[in-house]
Amino acid sequence: MQLVSSARFSASSAGGMAPHTAVSYRGLRAPMAGGARRSVRRSRGGRLAARAGMEYDQLRGVEIVKAASGERVELLSLWKPEATTKVVVPFMTHFADLSSWEYAQKLVKVMPTLEASSIPVFAVGLGSVTNAREFARILKFPLDNLYCDPDGSAYKALGFSPGFAPDLQVSAYAKLLPMLAGIGSPGTVQEVIRGYVGDKDSKPVFDTSTPFDVLGTGYQRPFELATLRLFNMIGILPKWKDLSPENEVLLTQQGGTVVFEGMNTLFRHDDSGILKYTDVDQLLRTVLQADIVAEAVTLPSAPSGYSPDVEVQ
């Protein structure tokens, strides 16, 4: 009997720890091209690590564009496929999306830790070079680490969710409305609510003193995450044309994250919907093979210091 593996990580999007993590899989082996089989092993801490290079094969021949130079490059050419080489490839949503903003803000905080361990980050977003450069400028995201996918070819190759009703011939803007209500976007409503009610199991959003401290410290306080999202929205809306993709289809396209170890897949997360991006703490634990992430993945900008034109430090 042939069993199909769907070993993927589904994590809380806003720095949640293990209580928000769900690991699902069916079987232990999956068919590969040419009759080969994909094996899945359970790693330390109960996590699953796929060891067959299926994602690597899916990305063969896929090209993306360097935000810094505008040069088209084959995605797999960005690193040497050696067994000891680890790379993190975040596939963010489009550059005007709240998900990509939050994810990028957290990535900027942890990239020095990864790079200190010789683990490069090649972040990909949906849109044009112009979109990517404006995104990097506002969020102070390192331009040399940023790439764009103008037509979503990498996302299609990896099978990331296209969002609500991809074959329905209506405006993508119309499709966003049901997605915000959780239709075709599992977990979005719960994530929005979590931003308002807080989360005792998640880290605080800001790492400086804020008015939220009156509610306590050391956890995500009520309205704290919702406040960050409000500030980000204030930053996005006036620059929507500069950040959003020309191809409206990309507005509903979801992303994910793949960590490669040479040609093999060490970690994969698929965004289930809006605001359901990769748990950065879990990403660090898996990539660094550490059980404890010492530094909180929090954002240094306090609410009182934010305005639409203030860059995230």
Side-chain angles (χ1 to χ4, degrees):
M1 177 178 178
Q2 191 176 57
L3 299 176
V4 179
S5 167
S6 59
R8 294 178 180 176
F9 294 86
S10 177
S12 170
S13 63
M17 300 291 285
H20 296 285
T21 300
V23 180
S24 62
Y25 62 101
R26 295 164 49 213
L28 295 177
R29 307 182 76 82
M32 299 266 314
R37 304 177 76 87
R38 179 189 181 196
S39 62
V40 177
R41 67 174 177 83
R42 185 177 294 276
S43 62
R44 290 183 302 171
R47 293 186 295 267
L48 298 178
R51 296 286 186 172
M54 185 173 75
E55 284 79 6
Y56 193 92
D57 287 338
Q58 290 171 330
L59 290 172
R60 290 186 189 277
V62 172
E63 292 185 342
I64 53 177
V65 183
K66 286 176 128 179
S69 65
E71 174 190 2
R72 292 191 69 89
V73 296
E74 188 172 346
L75 195 156
L76 296 181
S77 70
L78 299 179
W79 70 92
K80 294 181 179 179
E82 298 174 350
T84 57
T85 300
K86 292 181 184 177
V87 296
V88 178
V89 190
F91 292 92
M92 300 181 292
T93 49
H94 66 86
F95 293 111
D97 190 34
L98 281 175
S99 295
S100 61
W101 274 51
E102 283 185 37
Y103 193 15
Q105 287 166 326
K106 292 182 178 182
L107 285 172
V108 166
K109 290 278 290 180
V110 302
M111 282 168 63
T113 300
L114 292 168
E115 290 169 355
S117 298
S118 300
I119 302 173
V121 175
F122 303 111
V124 184
L126 293 163
S128 68
V129 170
T130 300
N131 300 151
R133 289 175 179 172
E134 183 65 7
F135 177 86
R137 185 192 70 79
I138 296 171
L139 298 181
K140 291 189 176 178
F141 195 93
L143 198 59
D144 288 338
N145 296 81
L146 188 60
Y147 297 78
C148 59
D149 187 348
D151 58 7
S153 57
Y155 296 67
K156 295 172 187 173
L158 289 169
F160 289 137
S161 171
F164 173 68
D167 298 324
L168 185 62
Q169 298 302 308
V170 298
S171 168
Y173 287 96
K175 295 180 183 181
L176 284 174
L177 295 177
M179 290 185 69
L180 290 170
I183 302 173
S185 185
T188 294
V189 173
Q190 294 89 330
E191 183 57 32
V192 171
I193 293 172
R194 196 174 73 90
Y196 287 100
V197 302
D199 187 344
K200 292 282 189 180
D201 296 317
S202 292
K203 295 175 181 178
V205 174
F206 302 103
D207 63 4
T208 57
S209 178
T210 74
F212 296 108
D213 291 349
V214 300
L215 300 174
T217 59
Y219 73 100
Q220 180 190 304
R221 284 69 60 92
F223 290 96
E224 187 178 14
L225 182 55
T227 299
L228 170 69
R229 289 169 176 166
L230 174 62
F231 291 151
N232 283 346
M233 184 61 72
I234 292 172
I236 289 170
L237 289 178
K239 298 173 182 176
W240 180 263
K241 289 185 178 179
D242 297 326
L243 292 165
S244 62
E246 289 186 13
N247 183 356
E248 286 188 8
V249 173
L250 301 181
L251 292 175
T252 60
Q253 176 66 55
Q254 299 304 295
T257 301
V258 181
V259 177
F260 291 99
E261 191 170 42
M263 296 173 64
N264 297 321
T265 301
L266 180 64
F267 173 96
R268 172 171 177 158
H269 168 88
D270 287 37
D271 300 350
S272 62
I274 296 171
L275 297 177
K276 297 299 293 180
Y277 55 87
T278 304
D279 181 329
V280 175
D281 279 346
Q282 184 189 19
L283 175 66
L284 281 180
R285 287 195 299 270
T286 303
V287 174
L288 300 178
Q289 296 181 341
D291 292 328
I292 299 175
V293 179
E295 295 295 328
V297 183
T298 51
L299 304 177
S301 299
S304 60
Y306 192 99
S307 72
D309 294 321
V310 172
E311 325 292 4
V312 176
Q313 299 178 354

